[in-house]
Structures are given as structure tokens and as C-alpha cells.
Amino acid sequence: MDSKSHTDLSILQQSEHKYRSLFESMFEGFFLYEIIYDDNLLPFDYRFIELNDAALRIMGLSREKMIGRTLKTVLQCMSKKWEDYYSRAASGENLKFEEYSPVLNKHFKTILFTPSPGYLAALSIDITQKKKTEEALRLSEERLRYSLEAAEEGYWDWELKSDKIFLSPRYFKMLGYEPDEFELTLGEWFNMLHPDSRERIIQKITSPKFLPDNLSVEFQLINKAGQYRWILSHWKIFNRDESGCPLRILGTNSDITERKRIEEALKLNEHRINLILDTVPVAFFDIDLSDGFNIKWLSKSIERLTGFTPEEIMCGRNFWKSRIHKDDLPHLIELSNFPADLYQLEHRWKCADNKYKWFMYRAYLLRDKEAKPKNIIGLMQDISKSKSYEKKLKASEKQARALSTHLEKVREEERITLARDVHDELGQSLTVLKLMANSIKSDLLNGKKVDISDLDEMTTLISSTIKSVQRITTQLRPDILDTAGLIAAIQWQAETYSLHNKADCSLDLKDFDSCEFKSCIATVLFRTVQEALTNVSRHASATRVSIALKKTGSFVVLSVEDNGIGISSKELKKSTSFGLKGMHERASFAGGELSIRGRKGRGTIVKLKIPLERALTKYKS
């Protein structure tokens, strides 16, 4: 071989080496096939004649198990859609598409073409992870939108430099407009503000650099009908420029007109009560016992009884005790020794004219968690003129005891109702927040990127929780029951549980797809599901929950079953189990029966049974 031929061969070898290196380092999988035709000269199968490393990774096979074999032999079966793609490309059509492969259980972005007659080439990229990411993003956006809609909050997004403001459909609806009925600028928004709110809000907006990252403000906006609505707006500064000025502000708006109306009514009612307290022939008091004996409030009527103003009596801690008749002091026992928290006593007290009067006290003793006296709330009455009339006094005492018993019962019922509602409204939200925080913590510990929408969702949930506290005395029924019905509400609750607990939650609700439940019964059923799932999240360590709502004879039977550790009989009898007590109380209210049965290591079954005639709006036996 002469030197020229040797040089040409060396160049050819180098070129082939470069080609092979480039070919093997390709990110895309490259497949080269020889087309196999049937008797009618139609493409029938495709024999592997060349593949790169990326193609081998896609197939999960070695080169020896593929080269020389046909595609249908290697895959054993091809979907009709993929066969069609290959047939069209083998017939001369250049194709570019994204498609799922059932055989390989992956999504691919693929290019098919014929580099020369009788041959077919394919370039494929595995885009499975991209598809999963896109689907997760879509679901996250959907959940955020549904959460905002369920909370009846309007969402807005303001880019300060461009003065572009995006408004969610709920924002328009809140003001009586159709979605996207108008485009909003900052100037137009200022014009929608009530004059009493405008100057205050403009001052905040015109000095955005000094705005905190999180802000809540209340103002009035005019709606389409020309009426002003009270709005509670939560602002979140998304990012700032180098000088600290906000570049983008996100927020939610809630219509609190009804809450404002109630607040005004409460203020008026409080004013009326104060007028009554100041005019009735008794005096009311509130004594703080956490730091000695500190009278922190007295009604103005005390001056008519004693001749002293409230301020004069409250000026010194020993003032009141120093004016008690010396013969009555030995009979006044220490507060810590009182046998009951509701008590009544009498003693003489020296008034401003230096004369003694008989006063009767009826008071309620509040204790802290350690049972130590904390506050005394009660009333005092001048009984000097009636002291000599024992019969009338006894009758008066009897009436007072009856009244006190009634007041105690009312207070107890109010505490039970409040405790149950606080547990129902806030327990679920706080449980979800804890789970979400743990989920984010887990992602951070595992080096995963935390999606900002998760934090936004937590912020939204926190805002919703705060709002629940404010409206807990008036909102006795979850909105989703009114807007979507019981079945949809249970499905939503199950989806929320599955999302935040990473556990399966199966449903069997088909018996009542077309039935309409009475409002009060729907609330009982929904709250029972909600409370049961809350208990599973907190205590059960379950991986699977099943919820069923079935017709059994003439009864509606709701069951919630988990595969967790199982509740013990001791836990069922705990006096502090407000959630379980609330479930029993609701069942009783609905005329039904509730049973809770725990199986150690095999989970817990909660079952509620209510007569159909009490549950459904239209029932035929």
C-alpha cells in the first residue's frame, strides 16, 4: 500500500470513529430498520440493523437481542396506532409526533422517515417525565382554581410596571359582572373605591416600597348595580426590584358585606346591652384573679348602689375589701375553697355616705386548666330593704338559683356548640396544613424542588382558616353542600384527604346519585365523613379508607372504614374526645344511631344509620 492510500485509509478510519462517537453520544434514540414487505409489497415488519446507546436504553435490551430481529418479534405486540405510524412512514411519509407506547409504558416524541428505499429510520426521545410534570402542573392549577372557587374568593394578579391586572371569574361575579366583562387598570379601580376608602388605599398603593410582603385591608367597591360591597383583600408581594419596590402583587378578595352588617348589628346590640346594664338596679362586675384581686370592669350602675363611681372603686386593689363589715369577714371563705364555680353570697358594705348596705352577689367563677380561680363574672344587688323579709328573700333566692341554673345550661350548650364547631371548622384545616408542611419538608429533605403553588395553596388555606374563625358563629353549614350537593361534597372531601395523606380513598355513593337530602341531614352526613377522615389522618396511620353511602332497608347507612391501627375502647371513652362526642350529638339530632368500632391492627369502622324518611326531601316507602 502506497503512502497516499495509507493516508486515505487513516482519514476514513478517523471519520468513521468521529461518526460512531457522535452517533453513540446522541441524546435521541436512533433506530435504523430494514423494511420487510408482505406478498402485496406492503410494509409488514421492520428488522433492526443499527441502534445507538440511547435506543438501547429506551428499549431496555442489549444490542445482541435486537440486531437482526424484527420489531414485532422484540416487542411481541404493537398498538394499532404505532403500526399505522410505521406503515405511513415506510410508504414515504415523513412523520413527527408525540405518542404513548403501551408496551414500553412511556411517552415518546418521535420522527420517522425513509433515508433510502427499503429502509426506515426513527429518532425518539423519552418525554415521560415531561408529560408527568405537565399533568402535575395542570392538576395543581385546577386545584388552586377549585380551592379559590370553593372559598368564594376572587383572585387578582397585578404587574406594577405594565399596570396589567388579571382578574379571576369569581372577582367579576363578586361585583355582579360577567367574567372578563371589562379590563381593569389601576385608575379605574381607584374610581370603584368608596370615597371613605379611596384616600387610605391610594396612600398605600402610591408608596408600595413600604408595603409589607403580606397585607390585609378592608375597603368598599362599587358593583355593577351601583351598590357598595365591603371587601376583605389579602395582598402578597411576589417579588421586588433592587430598590425594594414591588414588581408583582397577588391577592384574593372576599365579600364581607354580610359580616360587616352583622358586626354593625352586634355593635348596636352591645350599645343597647350597655344601656340596659347601666340602668338596671344591679351592678355587673368582672374581677381578674390571675394577679391578686383586680376589679377590671364595673357597670356604671354601681354608682347608684354605692355612691362611688367605677373609677373610684377600681383605683385600689384593697378598696373593696376594706369596706366590708368586720362581722361578715369571717364568713367569707377563700375563693379556692368554693365547692362550685357558680355561687352566691351576701355581706354588708360601707357606701359613700358611710352607711352599710346589704349586697347580694351572684357570680360565675372561671378557672384555668389547673383548676385555679381565674376570673369572677357576676352581678351585685342591693338587698337592704328586703333583708327582713325572709320569705320574699327565699323566693328571690329560689328564682335566682333557677335563673343561674338556666344561665349555666345556656353557657354550657354554647360552649359545646362552639367547641364542636371550632373542632369541625379548624381541625381539618390545621391537619391539612400540618400534612402539607410535612410534605414540603419531605420534599426539601429529599432535594426536590418545592412548587410555589404549594406555598400559595397553604397561604390560601391559612387565610380561609382565619376567615372561618371570624364567621364561626354564623356559618353553620359548609358552602359546598349548597352549591354542589352531598354526594359532590363527600367526593371533594375524599379527594382532599387522598391528596394530602397520600392514601387511597374509595367511594361507593351510587345508591344516592339522584336523591336530594334534607339540608340538616346532609350537614350531619358530611360532617360525620369529615370528622372521621380527620381522625384517620391524625391517629390511624392508615393507607386505605373506604366511604360508602347505601340504602339498607328503610335506612340511609353511612360507613367510613380504614385499615389503620384501630381505635381502642379507652380512647372512645375519653372525656376530651370532642370530635367523637360531636358525631354522636349530630347523629342523635338527626334521629339516627352512630357506632364506632375499633379492631386492633385492623382499622376502625364508623357507621351512621338514619331513617330514609328523615333523610330525604322526597321519600316513598
Side-chain angles (χ1 to χ4, degrees):
M1 179 183 296
D2 57 26
S3 60
K4 182 178 184 304
S5 298
H6 182 77
T7 301
D8 290 343
L9 179 59
S10 176
I11 293 174
L12 182 60
Q13 290 175 340
Q14 291 177 7
S15 176
E16 182 179 355
H17 177 71
K18 290 180 180 179
Y19 160 75
R20 174 56 63 177
S21 298
L22 177 62
F23 180 67
E24 294 300 343
S25 63
M26 288 173 59
F27 181 75
E28 301 89 346
F30 180 81
F31 302 81
L32 183 61
Y33 308 92
E34 177 187 358
I35 303 173
I36 301 174
Y37 297 93
D38 60 14
D39 295 339
N40 297 319
L41 298 181
L42 294 175
F44 170 70
D45 205 345
Y46 310 89
R47 181 178 289 107
F48 293 99
I49 61 173
E50 186 59 271
L51 306 98
N52 63 359
D53 288 345
L56 296 174
R57 288 193 295 271
I58 288 174
M59 299 297 292
L61 296 172
S62 65
R63 189 181 303 274
E64 291 74 17
K65 291 185 178 181
M66 295 179 66
I67 296 296
R69 301 180 67 188
T70 66
L71 182 60
K72 291 183 179 180
T73 302
V74 171
L75 295 182
Q76 295 184 353
C77 65
M78 285 181 67
S79 68
K80 186 176 180 181
K81 186 175 290 187
W82 279 89
E83 280 196 30
D84 180 62
Y85 285 138
Y86 270 73
S87 178
R88 288 164 55 191
S91 300
E93 185 178 351
N94 292 334
L95 298 178
K96 183 178 181 180
F97 57 89
E98 292 184 5
E99 190 58 66
Y100 172 72
S101 171
V103 178
L104 299 176
N105 192 25
K106 294 179 181 179
H107 284 271
F108 294 100
K109 183 175 183 180
T110 302
I111 298 174
L112 288 175
F113 61 96
T114 51
S116 62
Y119 294 91
L120 179 65
L123 283 171
S124 286
I125 302 176
D126 185 349
I127 58 171
T128 305
Q129 189 58 43
K130 174 189 172 186
K131 286 291 184 181
K132 289 181 179 179
T133 302
E134 290 174 349
E135 179 64 13
L137 179 60
R138 184 187 66 79
L139 290 174
S140 178
E141 291 174 347
E142 276 193 4
R143 291 185 189 113
L144 175 60
R145 177 168 59 85
Y146 290 146
S147 297
L148 291 172
E149 289 176 357
E152 293 195 349
E153 293 191 351
Y155 168 78
W156 53 269
D157 185 345
W158 176 28
E159 292 184 355
L160 278 71
K161 285 190 176 181
S162 63
D163 196 23
K164 289 183 178 179
I165 302 177
F166 164 78
L167 306 177
S168 69
R170 177 62 190 166
Y171 192 107
F172 287 96
K173 186 177 180 181
M174 191 181 297
L175 297 176
Y177 294 95
E178 294 297 321
D180 300 320
E181 187 169 336
F182 62 88
E183 291 187 5
L184 186 65
T185 63
L186 184 60
E188 292 170 343
W189 186 76
F190 282 152
N191 292 332
M192 296 174 69
L193 286 168
H194 190 282
D196 294 343
S197 306
R198 189 174 300 151
E199 184 177 351
R200 172 172 54 88
I201 299 301
I202 288 177
Q203 287 179 351
K204 292 182 181 294
I205 296 297
T206 52
S207 303
K209 182 176 180 179
F210 303 102
L211 285 176
D213 288 345
N214 294 280
L215 179 66
S216 296
V217 293
E218 294 181 1
F219 48 80
Q220 294 183 72
L221 284 180
I222 194 168
N223 64 10
K224 190 174 183 179
Q227 300 171 333
Y228 282 100
R229 306 290 297 180
W230 273 102
I231 303 297
L232 172 62
S233 187
H234 299 288
W235 302 1
K236 169 68 177 179
I237 295 180
F238 191 70
N239 50 21
R240 299 176 183 265
D241 60 19
E242 294 180 354
S243 66
C245 290
L247 297 174
R248 184 182 178 194
I249 302 178
L250 309 177
T252 58
N253 280 13
S254 305
D255 189 332
I256 58 169
T257 305
E258 182 63 17
R259 193 197 81 187
K260 282 288 187 180
R261 184 191 66 77
I262 294 172
E263 287 178 354
E264 289 300 321
L266 288 174
K267 287 181 181 179
L268 179 59
N269 191 47
E270 183 179 356
H271 177 67
R272 290 170 178 166
I273 291 174
N274 287 333
L275 288 176
I276 294 172
L277 294 180
D278 293 339
T279 56
V280 293
V282 294
F284 297 88
F285 56 85
D286 185 355
I287 301 173
D288 182 9
L289 301 175
S290 60
D291 184 20
F293 189 89
N294 182 21
I295 303 174
K296 63 179 184 180
W297 177 78
L298 282 169
S299 63
K300 293 181 181 179
S301 55
I302 191 71
E303 188 171 359
R304 288 198 308 277
L305 298 180
T306 66
F308 290 107
T309 65
E311 292 74 22
E312 289 173 325
I313 294 175
M314 292 188 293
C315 68
R317 294 192 175 189
N318 294 322
F319 183 84
W320 186 266
K321 187 175 182 180
S322 68
R323 302 184 75 85
I324 297 175
H325 195 285
K326 61 182 180 64
D327 293 340
D328 296 334
L329 278 173
H331 304 292
L332 301 180
I333 61 176
E334 289 294 327
L335 292 171
S336 58
N337 295 327
F338 270 91
D341 288 341
L342 188 66
Y343 68 94
Q344 178 176 309
L345 58 85
E346 299 172 359
H347 69 71
R348 287 164 286 183
W349 197 80
K350 187 188 291 187
C351 298
D353 59 1
N354 287 325
K355 294 181 179 180
Y356 284 99
K357 286 185 179 180
W358 275 99
F359 290 102
M360 179 183 69
Y361 302 85
R362 292 192 297 273
Y364 189 79
L365 182 64
L366 301 177
R367 300 179 184 270
D368 60 19
K369 295 180 179 179
E370 298 177 353
K372 295 180 180 179
K374 181 181 179 183
N375 281 80
I376 300 176
I377 300 174
L379 59 86
M380 60 179 286
Q381 182 178 359
D382 182 358
I383 58 169
S384 301
K385 292 182 180 180
S386 60
K387 185 64 179 175
S388 59
Y389 303 100
E390 290 295 332
K391 187 176 181 180
K392 292 183 179 180
L393 179 59
K394 290 180 181 179
S396 176
E397 289 175 345
K398 184 177 180 180
Q399 293 176 1
R401 285 194 296 271
L403 175 61
S404 297
T405 301
H406 173 70
L407 290 176
E408 183 182 24
K409 181 179 179 181
V410 170
R411 291 190 187 100
E412 186 62 24
E413 290 174 352
E414 290 175 348
R415 286 199 303 272
I416 291 172
T417 300
L418 180 60
R420 181 175 61 240
D421 287 345
V422 167
H423 187 278
D424 289 343
E425 291 290 330
L426 301 184
Q428 179 73 9
S429 296
L430 294 176
T431 300
V432 173
L433 282 172
K434 179 180 177 181
L435 292 169
M436 293 174 69
N438 287 336
S439 177
I440 291 175
K441 178 181 177 181
S442 175
D443 288 345
L444 290 173
L445 290 174
N446 292 326
K448 296 182 181 179
K449 184 178 180 182
V450 177
D451 196 331
I452 191 65
S453 63
D454 291 341
L455 300 178
D456 289 342
E457 187 177 354
M458 289 185 70
T459 303
T460 301
L461 187 54
I462 292 170
S463 299
S464 177
T465 305
I466 295 172
K467 183 179 177 184
S468 295
V469 174
Q470 297 168 337
R471 72 186 181 207
I472 199 165
T473 58
T474 58
Q475 183 175 336
L476 303 177
R477 182 178 177 83
D479 292 336
I480 193 170
L481 286 173
D482 296 320
T483 58
L486 175 64
I487 301 303
I490 293 176
Q491 291 171 339
W492 168 79
Q493 188 66 46
E495 291 172 359
T496 302
Y497 169 84
S498 296
L499 173 65
H500 297 299
N501 292 273
K502 297 181 180 178
D504 293 331
C505 188
S506 62
L507 298 174
D508 185 358
L509 313 172
K510 57 182 178 296
D511 285 3
F512 294 98
D513 281 344
S514 59
C515 297
E516 184 176 350
F517 287 85
K518 293 178 182 177
S519 176
C520 57
I521 302 301
T523 300
V524 170
L525 291 168
F526 177 80
R527 289 299 192 194
T528 301
V529 171
Q530 189 180 54
E531 180 61 35
L533 291 179
T534 298
N535 288 335
V536 173
S537 297
R538 289 178 174 176
H539 311 296
S541 300
T543 59
R544 186 176 67 256
V545 179
S546 60
I547 301 173
L549 189 64
K550 296 186 176 182
K551 290 180 183 177
T552 303
S554 59
F555 291 89
V556 176
V557 179
L558 169 69
S559 64
V560 181
E561 182 175 356
D562 68 78
N563 66 343
I565 60 177
I567 190 169
S568 66
S569 57
K570 183 178 180 180
E571 290 170 322
L572 286 171
K573 295 177 182 178
K574 273 187 179 180
S575 60
T576 55
S577 299
F578 294 111
L580 300 182
K581 292 181 183 296
M583 292 166 72
H584 282 287
E585 290 169 6
R586 290 193 179 89
S588 177
F589 167 79
E593 298 177 0
L594 181 79
S595 65
I596 302 175
R597 183 165 59 92
R599 302 163 299 175
K600 187 174 181 180
R602 294 189 296 135
T604 301
I605 300 176
V606 177
K607 187 170 289 186
L608 174 59
K609 186 178 179 182
I610 300 175
L612 280 169
E613 59 183 357
R614 293 182 62 91
L616 303 180
T617 56
K618 295 179 181 180
Y619 170 70
K620 293 183 181 181
S621 59

